[in-house]
Amino acid sequence: MAKRIQFARTGGPEVLEYIDYTPAEPGPKEVRVRNRAIGLNFIDTYYRSGLYPAPALPSGLGTEGAGEVDAVGSEVSGVKVGDRVAYATGPLGSYSELHVLPAANLVKLPDSISFETAAAVMLKGLTVQYLLRQTYNAQPGQTVLWHAAAGGVGLIACQWAKALGVKLIGTVGSAAKAELAKAHGAWETIDYSHENVVERVLALTDGKKVPVVYDSVGKDTWPISLDCAAQRGLIVSFGNASGAVDGVNLGILAQKGSLFVTRPTLFGYANTPERLQAMAEDLFGMLTSGKIKVEINQRFALADAAKAQTELAARRTTGSTILLP
């Protein structure tokens, strides 16, 4: 027997249950991992609420974790029992002591990176990797706008952008978060609690706006993002923290300057073992070089996952948050 978080109906954090369950044996191409640390991410709340449908209910939750290989399937050759591994692309069920997943979804974890760091950084770090290096390959000297710059993804983006020589303007909700983002490498910050984001972007770019806007907030920031993108600029909508963007009239893209919009996911970029491994190596290189440092500012027991999600949704967290089995 082992412990896990599951939900039998969608809704708020109160639907999460901490239960005993019998972990499955791994299939031929699967591995069972004994989690030592588990990542907490906004996407987890989307599955819990029903915004993203779970394959079936009751369902486990979470897609990210790090630990040791506990058992391997008959056709698995890349890893063995006892190996240190990390994962970020699911399937659902990482909020557990033991988690079964395809061997293709694992990456081996270097000894220099702790389980807690890996659980805190895999999903967020790989997300920043594809956003800055693939979705829009930001170049030295360019200026980009990043909403929610003091969050877990945002603080990694601030550091990665600085390492690339990219000038990141980060939006934040308080003076404390502005200070945090700048301490992590943001070129400038905009406190939307009392500053007009569009006016500040225009001032900071001499009226040129930015070639790319990274938006994980969604509904609340969509109009702002449209007004901050330069002509033929790109809006990268990669999250829905304030609710999903809907009812979009494509004509607005023409009116705002022949804009481009994409709605990428990590699963669309790390879609083969080879791509996943290459992305992870890029991320691990940034970590081991010291160019990116991960701050785990909140730790919760696995049993307190509902409380952790409440804090995350209320934007009372900074940096990364992890669950400990």
Side-chain angles (χ1 to χ4, degrees):
M1 297 292 288
K3 294 284 191 180
R4 81 164 183 169
I5 295 290
Q6 74 168 31
F7 60 108
R9 58 188 175 90
T10 57
E14 70 279 357
V15 305
L16 299 182
E17 305 171 290
Y18 185 56
I19 65 162
D20 292 307
Y21 81 113
T22 302
E25 292 297 320
K29 297 181 180 180
E30 293 180 326
V31 169
R32 190 169 64 210
V33 176
R34 181 170 296 279
N35 285 325
R36 300 300 182 186
I38 299 156
L40 180 81
N41 298 285
F42 243 105
I43 193 173
D44 306 340
T45 70
Y46 301 160
Y47 283 107
R48 185 211 69 219
S49 69
L51 179 63
Y52 290 179
L57 296 178
S59 173
L61 190 62
T63 62
E64 177 184 41
E68 298 146 340
V69 174
D70 178 73
V72 299
S74 58
E75 297 179 19
V76 174
S77 59
V79 294
K80 63 183 184 303
V81 172
D83 281 353
R84 302 174 78 252
V85 293
Y87 58 91
T89 56
L92 292 179
S94 70
Y95 283 26
S96 61
E97 293 177 336
L98 291 165
H99 184 35
V100 175
L101 67 162
N105 292 12
L106 294 174
V107 295
K108 286 190 176 181
L109 188 61
D111 290 340
S112 59
I113 299 175
S114 71
F115 291 129
E116 289 196 0
T117 295
V121 79
M122 280 293 290
L123 183 60
K124 300 175 185 69
L126 291 176
T127 296
V128 174
Q129 196 282 337
Y130 83 74
L131 290 173
L132 281 178
R133 306 304 289 148
Q134 299 185 70
T135 304
Y136 184 90
N137 190 12
Q139 299 299 309
Q142 284 188 313
T143 303
V144 307
L145 179 65
W146 196 291
H147 291 300
V153 174
L155 292 181
I156 294 172
C158 289
Q159 295 174 79
W160 207 318
K162 183 177 181 180
L164 294 173
V166 173
K167 297 189 290 186
L168 184 147
I169 302 170
T171 68
V172 295
S174 69
K177 289 191 173 184
E179 185 177 341
L180 186 64
K182 293 204 77 170
H184 283 74
W187 175 61
E188 289 287 353
T189 57
I190 303 172
D191 185 345
Y192 56 76
S193 70
H194 68 274
E195 293 183 287
N196 183 295
V197 175
V198 178
E199 289 179 1
R200 284 277 286 137
V201 167
L202 286 167
L204 289 168
T205 61
D206 296 325
K208 297 176 183 178
K209 303 184 182 181
V210 295
V212 58
V213 179
Y214 293 101
D215 191 340
S216 64
V217 178
K219 183 178 180 180
D220 289 354
T221 49
W222 172 250
I224 295 170
S225 295
L226 287 170
D227 285 336
C228 290
Q231 190 170 36
R232 298 186 302 279
L234 173 65
I235 299 173
V236 183
S237 175
F238 68 100
N240 313 286
S242 66
V245 176
D246 56 14
V248 176
N249 177 357
L250 291 180
I252 198 72
L253 303 179
Q255 296 170 24
K256 298 294 184 178
S258 299
L259 302 181
F260 295 85
V261 176
T262 184
R263 181 60 175 86
T265 66
L266 173 58
F267 313 104
Y269 281 82
N271 60 335
T272 68
E274 294 76 19
R275 289 180 68 93
L276 173 60
Q277 187 63 41
M279 292 167 65
E281 288 176 1
D282 193 11
L283 172 61
F284 293 159
M286 297 295 285
L287 289 167
T288 55
S289 70
K291 293 178 180 178
I292 289 178
K293 293 181 173 63
V294 179
E295 293 191 6
I296 303 171
N297 293 336
Q298 298 81 211
R299 291 174 173 83
F300 292 88
L302 177 60
D304 294 329
K307 180 180 179 181
Q309 288 200 356
T310 298
E311 293 297 296
L312 181 69
R315 303 188 193 182
R316 289 192 290 263
T317 64
T318 58
S320 294
T321 303
I322 59 172
L323 306 175
L324 300 173

